[in-house]
Amino acid sequence: MRLNPFDTDKIKVRSSGGGGGGMRSAGGVGCGTLVIALVAALAFGVDPAQTVAVLGGIEQQGSPQTSQGDLTEQQVCSSNPYAREACDALTSLNETWAPEFARAGVRFEEPVLDLYRTGRVNTQGCGSASSAAGPFYCPADLGIYIDVGFYDQLAQMAGTGGDFARLYVIAHEYGHHIQNMTGLAAQVRSLQQRNPSQSNALQVRMELQADCYAGVWAGKNRSRIERGDMEEGLRAASSIGDDTLMRNAGQRINPENFTHGTSQQRMDALRRGLESADDAACDVYFDFS
């Protein structure tokens, strides 16, 4: 996908060390929204109890943030090709979604991208995580957290080293930010608390809608899509479907334990967004009628 170069005036970026921190605070907001389960939780052996705890909105106290000025945003984005690509994508995502919120008259705040280092990060309100957990979104600080080393793991899982597979990951996490900004995440968390037996099913809907939003972003930038991009994205979506991850881990496929949807569901969600280029098409995942 041909993206324009990043513009640090249009994005919030930091690179936390092991103790957290960064150049620019994302702002103080409460943790009254759904913290999204990690994209490759099953693939990397993340304890499901940890995910459930986060989904329940339990705030863990991380280490104090380090002082400002560790790395400039320009330095973070230029540190390696993956970081540059992520910053390019974040610029495009902001430029795509902010006007949509403005047209709808809904308040929007840009997320902060934390390309954290040293394999562990402490968030501002969602506890700590290691690189083994994969990319995730923390609503407490509006943060998208990525250890770019994950992309090498994704390439092995999906069987493709193409850029669109990586862009799909960050666009998916951005989709969770959209859910946070619209208030949907808070509504879903409330539903989960009132009906715990439906918690996983509701989470699957959240993940599929985030996949759909990732496709919408690509669809709205269709002129920048290159030959083979969609196939790369679909292979990535398929490789992290719950059924595929369980099968590859030698586990029995149990739909009751799904948290992200099957490979087919994830591919269908991404395709729905891309072909429609309309975020309204993603409302289907929360049509309870």
Side-chain angles (χ1 to χ4, degrees), residues 34 172 176 179 184 188 191-192 198-213 242 258-261 265 269 282-289:
L34 177 69
H172 171 95
H176 291 315
Q179 293 166 333
L184 174 68
V188 170
L191 286 171
Q192 289 177 311
Q198 293 299 308
S199 181
N200 276 20
L202 288 165
Q203 184 184 339
V204 167
R205 292 176 184 247
M206 288 287 284
E207 299 299 334
L208 294 177
Q209 188 181 66
D211 283 338
C212 184
Y213 284 147
D242 285 325
F258 286 177
T259 56
H260 288 68
Q265 287 174 322
C282 304
D283 293 344
V284 66
Y285 296 103
F286 286 94
D287 180 4
F288 296 107
S289 58

Side-chain angles (χ1 to χ4, degrees), residues 267-289:
M267 289 190 293
D268 289 346
L270 180 62
R271 186 183 291 109
R272 175 187 294 274
L274 193 147
E275 292 179 352
S276 68
D278 181 1
D279 55 276
C282 304
D283 293 344
V284 66
Y285 296 103
F286 286 94
D287 180 4
F288 296 107
S289 58

Side-chain angles (χ1 to χ4, degrees), residues 1-4 85 88 92 162-164 167-168 214 217-227 229 232:
M1 191 169 182
R2 301 182 305 274
L3 297 176
N4 288 332
E85 181 182 80
D88 293 347
S92 175
D163 64 334
F164 196 80
L167 298 177
Y168 156 63
W217 165 69
K220 288 181 179 294
N221 294 277
R222 191 178 304 276
S223 63
R224 297 186 175 277
I225 293 177
E226 299 175 292
R227 183 186 299 273
D229 279 349
E232 290 173 9

